[in-house]
Amino acid sequence: MANRLCIVLDFGGQYNQLIARRVRECGVYCEILSYTTPIEKIRELAPDGIIFTGGPNSVYDETSPHISAEIFSLGIPILGICYGCQLMAYTLGGEVESCEKSEYGKIEIQQTGGALFGGVPEKSIVWMSHTDFVSKLPEGFTVKAVSADCPCAAFECPEKKLYAVQFHPEVTHSEFGKQILHNFLYEVCGFTGDWVMDDFIESTVAKLREQIGDKKVVLGLSGGVDSSVAAGLLSRAVGKQLTCVFVDQGLMRKDEGDFVEDTFTRLFDMNFVRVNCKEQFLTALKGVTDPEEKRKIIGTEFYKVFWDKIREEADGGFFAQGTIYPDRIESGKGNESGNGSTATIKTHHNKVEMPKDISFDGVIEPLADLFKDEVRAVGEKLGIPHELVWRQPFPGPGLGVRILGEITEDKIKVLQEADAVFRDEIAKSGIESELKQFFAVLPDVRTVGVMGDHRTYEHLIAIRAITTDDFMTADWARIPYDVLARVSNRLCNEVEHVNRVVYDITSKPPGTVEWL
């Protein structure tokens, strides 16, 4: 069938799935494959377009990912991005050199026409991230965009259907990036935009049924949106063959354990098991202050409880997780199809190894290629209630990653109350839909204050709110001052042991969404 598939060839960059996500937003079905995929396999798939991703390597390094020049003679339109741009030029006889001045972040380019730039202003801002550049084009190519320090910011050879950009059109910082990708997909490749999220659900449920058969599936719940949607997909696929184990480690938001239990037992056809084990977690975390160690302990204890609960049932079958793509990126697991590897930004609870005495037929991660907003779209298509689908994200380690220093029962109580107040004021303010995530943090800091005529020495509460499209990058939310004033007033007056409030105005990067 014509116009059915776009292939994203992964060369080890962090944005391979983000590119795929942008392609899907254009109504085009795509699959990510390793750059090592044989040419014969690509011919067999008969894609209508191919996109080369970026990557952390230098093309003139013999150990870096390369590809046979044969792919450029298949007659299939190809778009090279960043490393993929350099690889295209290098493989076809051009030259790539190290920059005298690297380009990182927002850069202005000037375009001079061509198929990629229809509907794009002559000058626009794009996101650059490179230390090498194409210094000489292969024969038959022409430059279509430049920046102050990059003479080949975009180039093309329409006769061979080959196009390349040095920048990253897939990130939101590139003003007309989606238009550029749309131009490639529609004007160059001839796609018609008939793929929708319903197709993802239908194909995923079918694959799950085929993969699982009549076997059991065990899903570990953290109580968040991701695990809820994963449970919804699995429930639709196999019903009572699914057992969801909810480990309430005492690090949930106020009253959240009860909410999760009520929601899942009402909405899904599955077996639901809740385990209350706050004391076990507090004992394991006693005296621990290092954030990575806390994450690992919480993950390890989670699975100790989890495995103890289901060990008698874990005779074959599958283990399922609500992992989404940013989880894999930040855990350094995002490039398993390519040659590169991403740095471990933080360890996620669902990346802890399972015990050696437990035997499963495989691990199922039905959402592993999706971003948060795509997960929400799937949830709505599955008929999961709005209030659950649009709950703000909550990390698997819970409030454990929002308490700096040692985690104690008293600190948990303070943070639960503070977070509840903050969430209540945001809900009342009418700006909740503008925020993608907002929460309170309890730093390991006490400050001097005065209440009445008395000196106090109590906790400082930090509040954080962000706006983002994909959680790969984020900006701090401009909450109105009057809302911030009400939040601060209530926190200091209603939450015991709090006498100061600060607002985190750090973007991602350089910060992460969570503090730990």
Side-chain angles (χ1 to χ4, degrees):
M1 183 175 66
N3 298 341
R4 63 181 179 85
L5 173 66
C6 176
I7 287 177
V8 176
L9 282 185
D10 176 21
F11 289 90
Q14 288 198 3
Y15 297 138
N16 53 6
Q17 282 291 345
L18 184 53
I19 295 170
R21 174 257 182 90
R22 298 299 186 215
V23 172
R24 292 194 293 266
E25 287 177 349
C26 290
V28 174
Y29 177 66
C30 69
E31 294 181 4
I32 297 177
L33 300 176
S34 168
Y35 73 95
T36 60
T37 302
I39 296 295
E40 293 75 20
K41 176 66 173 178
I42 294 176
R43 277 203 188 96
E44 180 184 332
L45 290 170
D48 294 285
I50 298 173
I51 299 177
F52 289 2
T53 72
N57 305 91
S58 294
V59 294
Y60 44 76
D61 182 347
E62 293 183 1
T63 63
S64 65
H66 288 84
I67 199 164
S68 169
E70 185 180 357
I71 195 169
F72 299 108
S73 62
L74 296 179
I76 301 170
I78 298 176
L79 171 64
I81 294 175
C82 196
Y83 178 86
C85 152
Q86 297 167 10
L87 182 66
M88 180 184 293
Y90 184 82
T91 305
L92 294 175
E95 296 180 4
V96 177
E97 300 177 13
S98 179
C99 301
E100 289 187 10
K101 182 179 180 182
S102 300
E103 288 184 312
Y104 290 98
K106 295 180 179 180
I107 301 292
E108 184 180 75
I109 63 166
Q110 182 171 347
Q111 59 93 359
T112 57
L116 296 182
F117 292 101
V120 177
E122 180 182 354
K123 294 182 179 181
S124 65
I125 299 298
V126 299
W127 185 263
M128 291 280 198
S129 180
H130 66 105
T131 56
D132 294 338
F133 76 107
V134 176
S135 58
K136 180 182 177 181
L137 290 177
E139 185 177 349
F141 284 79
T142 55
V143 173
K144 290 299 175 182
V146 300
S147 72
D149 296 295
C150 185
C152 297
F155 50 89
E156 65 177 31
C157 180
E159 294 75 19
K160 296 181 179 179
K161 303 179 183 178
L162 303 179
Y163 301 81
V165 293
Q166 180 59 70
F167 53 90
H168 287 274
E170 70 274 19
V171 304
T172 55
H173 302 296
S174 292
E175 289 180 319
F176 294 89
K178 286 186 69 174
Q179 181 65 44
I180 291 169
L181 288 173
H182 186 278
N183 289 339
F184 173 72
L185 294 167
Y186 281 68
E187 304 305 323
V188 176
C189 302
F191 286 102
T192 55
D194 54 0
W195 184 86
V196 294
M197 189 57 76
D198 288 329
D199 298 327
F200 169 83
I201 295 173
E202 183 179 341
S203 62
T204 299
V205 168
K207 288 177 183 177
L208 288 171
R209 284 175 179 159
E210 181 180 359
Q211 180 180 4
I212 297 167
D214 59 358
K215 296 180 180 179
K216 295 180 179 180
V217 183
V218 178
L219 172 68
L221 292 177
S222 66
V225 178
D226 305 332
S227 56
S228 299
V229 175
L233 282 169
L234 286 162
S235 176
R236 175 175 288 195
V238 297
K240 290 291 187 181
Q241 292 169 238
L242 171 64
T243 296
C244 290
V245 178
F246 171 53
V247 177
D248 187 347
Q249 80 288 60
L251 298 171
M252 304 294 288
R253 290 176 285 212
K254 186 178 180 181
D255 300 328
E256 191 149 31
D258 294 339
F259 174 78
V260 170
E261 180 175 6
D262 177 67
T263 299
F264 278 82
T265 52
R266 282 189 300 104
L267 294 181
F268 299 107
D269 180 26
M270 63 170 69
N271 299 309
F272 183 87
V273 179
R274 178 178 179 178
V275 185
N276 296 307
C277 50
K278 178 172 71 174
E279 294 305 320
Q280 179 175 334
F281 275 75
L282 287 176
T283 299
L285 290 165
K286 186 175 178 60
V288 178
T289 59
D290 179 77
E292 273 299 285
E293 188 177 353
K294 285 197 289 188
R295 279 183 173 270
K296 289 175 181 176
I297 288 173
I298 293 170
T300 299
E301 291 301 314
F302 176 93
Y303 283 119
K304 279 183 182 177
V305 174
F306 178 80
W307 300 128
D308 286 346
K309 193 67 180 177
I310 57 92
R311 194 172 252 107
E312 58 196 47
E313 302 179 31
D315 182 19
F318 293 90
F319 176 56
Q321 301 180 114
T323 311
I324 65 173
Y325 184 64
D327 296 344
R328 295 198 290 130
I329 280 291
E330 293 183 332
S331 300
K333 303 293 185 181
N335 298 303
E336 292 162 350
S337 63
N339 191 50
S341 61
T342 58
T344 298
I345 299 170
K346 57 190 179 185
T347 302
H348 285 263
H349 72 292
N350 54 12
K351 288 299 176 185
V352 178
E353 293 184 8
M354 65 180 66
K356 298 187 184 303
D357 66 319
I358 298 289
S359 176
F360 280 105
D361 294 330
V363 175
I364 295 175
E365 296 178 324
L367 307 176
D369 290 341
L370 301 186
F371 288 82
K372 183 69 70 175
D373 58 331
E374 292 181 310
V375 173
R376 295 191 196 281
V378 171
E380 289 189 329
K381 292 286 186 180
L382 287 172
I384 298 174
H386 181 85
E387 61 269 23
L388 178 55
V389 171
W390 287 96
R391 288 174 68 207
Q392 60 167 308
F394 190 61
L399 299 181
V401 296
R402 296 176 181 171
I403 297 174
L404 280 66
E406 182 181 8
I407 298 172
T408 66
E409 188 165 6
D410 288 342
K411 287 183 179 179
I412 293 171
K413 184 177 180 181
V414 169
L415 186 54
Q416 284 178 330
E417 295 296 331
D419 190 73
V421 167
F422 184 31
R423 287 187 290 121
D424 182 54
E425 279 300 323
I426 292 297
K428 291 176 179 177
S429 70
I431 64 170
E432 186 171 5
S433 62
E434 301 172 19
L435 311 179
K436 286 300 178 72
Q437 193 167 358
F438 54 95
F439 54 88
V441 177
L442 185 65
D444 196 17
V445 174
R446 288 178 183 263
T447 70
V448 174
V450 58
M451 291 184 174
D453 294 325
H454 301 284
R455 176 186 183 275
T456 61
Y457 188 61
E458 300 287 11
H459 288 292
L460 174 150
I461 290 289
I463 55 176
R464 179 143 171 80
I466 56 107
T467 59
T468 180
D469 289 330
D470 50 40
F471 284 84
M472 296 295 290
T473 60
D475 195 11
W476 60 277
R478 274 58 171 179
I479 296 178
Y481 288 160
D482 60 333
V483 177
L484 291 175
R486 288 197 298 271
V487 170
S488 178
N489 184 63
R490 286 190 61 188
L491 288 176
C492 291
N493 283 283
E494 297 179 22
V495 182
E496 287 189 73
H497 308 298
V498 171
N499 70 356
R500 190 178 299 268
V501 180
V502 297
Y503 186 39
D504 180 352
I505 58 170
T506 312
S507 62
K508 174 187 179 181
T512 54
V513 175
E514 298 289 345
W515 276 36
L516 296 180

